[in-house]
Amino acid sequence: MGTSIRTVAVATTAVSLALLATACSGGDGGKDAGKGSAAPSASATSAAPAAKALSAAELEKLIVEQADLPGHQVQKAKAGDMVKPETVATDKAACKPLADAMAFVATGSPAASVQRKAVEVPKKTGSPEDALGALAAPVTSVTLGSYEGQGAQEAFASLKAAGTDCTGGFAITGEGQEAKVTKVAPETLSAGEEALAWTVTADVDGSPFVTKLVVFRQGGTLASFSSFSLAGAVKELPKAVVEAQAKKLG
């Protein structure tokens, strides 16, 4: 795996090489979004009841697990998979919420957050071609953040604004690695009380490295998903993972 792939994998998803290696080996055991989804209005936000944040222990009971996702290997994020929010930076302040969501970091100021990673299991594993398919299997990071008061609505609104302001791209730094996001394109998805989704394209030595990003809000909890592949492009939104998580959040 080249340095530029590491740069994008870390800077645009902030998932360590250990996670990528785990993806290769198999490891151990709503509302419309995109252009049709609107950020919550000031009146809607103020009218919503103030949420009481859940604890990390409570979130652990709500995040997706292996039993929730047939066809995937679901693992609890390890320390090496995580980054500190302050190590994720962008050249455009408005794009920081997107960078955080891409980086296994709960957007804004959550009272608590928990993470999982879900690796799609290839249907065949026998031939060399199947092995190459396994290397290209999508890896989806899942982050749940719980917020006090209107924090979840405010975090969602910041992501909505970022999706509009950062369509032309931005520079992102994660744990000292730098990369250039060249395009943020809206997608459509239904999940939770309100949802957003994007295709995010970064430049790797002149070639596109494509990831999918999804966020949805359910009450005072914000769920974010960042899906990537060692092959350099993820073709579809991680709908199975999103749907399983939405079901658990009710």
Side-chain angles (χ1 to χ4, degrees):
M1 185 182 310
T3 300
S4 55
I5 291 295
R6 170 181 166 78
T7 297
V8 174
V10 175
T12 66
T13 67
V15 180
S16 69
L17 284 176
L19 171 56
L20 299 184
T22 299
C24 296
S25 63
D28 46 24
K31 303 292 180 183
D32 286 342
K35 292 182 179 178
S37 178
S41 65
S43 59
T45 300
S46 61
K52 178 175 175 55
L54 301 176
S55 67
E58 289 172 314
L59 287 177
E60 286 286 352
K61 297 177 181 178
L62 294 173
I63 197 166
V64 287
E65 299 288 1
Q66 185 65 64
D68 305 312
L69 274 171
H72 292 73
Q73 290 186 340
V74 181
Q75 306 152 27
K76 188 172 183 177
K78 301 179 178 65
D81 301 329
M82 310 303 297
V83 297
K84 296 179 180 179
E86 60 269 22
T87 68
V88 180
T90 58
D91 64 339
K92 300 177 182 177
C95 303
K96 179 65 159 63
L98 278 179
D100 284 343
M102 293 160 62
F104 234 164
V105 174
T107 303
S109 301
S113 64
V114 295
Q115 291 81 16
R116 291 292 185 274
K117 53 191 178 185
V119 184
E120 188 173 315
V121 179
K123 293 180 175 61
K124 298 181 180 180
T125 57
S127 68
E129 290 79 10
D130 294 336
L132 290 175
L135 289 174
V139 181
T140 301
S141 64
V142 184
T143 303
L144 291 188
S146 183
Y147 302 75
E148 291 285 355
Q150 303 298 320
Q153 287 90 335
E154 292 166 359
F156 185 89
S158 73
L159 284 158
K160 176 62 177 178
T164 299
D165 296 340
C166 305
T167 55
F170 56 95
I172 178 173
T173 302
E175 295 201 326
Q177 300 289 331
E178 297 181 356
K180 175 64 177 178
V181 172
T182 58
K183 184 179 180 181
V184 178
E187 295 266 8
T188 300
L189 183 90
S190 295
E193 294 180 43
E194 50 187 351
L196 295 163
W198 303 272
T199 294
V200 180
T201 304
D203 180 82
V204 178
D205 297 333
S207 297
F209 186 94
V210 178
T211 63
K212 299 289 186 177
L213 180 64
V214 175
V215 293
F216 75 80
R217 182 184 65 81
Q218 183 67 44
T221 300
L222 197 67
S224 59
F225 311 79
S226 182
S227 187
F228 70 99
S229 167
L230 288 176
V234 176
K235 296 181 180 180
E236 299 179 349
L237 295 172
K239 292 182 179 179
V241 183
V242 173
E243 288 171 0
Q245 185 59 77
K247 183 177 180 180
K248 290 201 78 169
L249 288 176

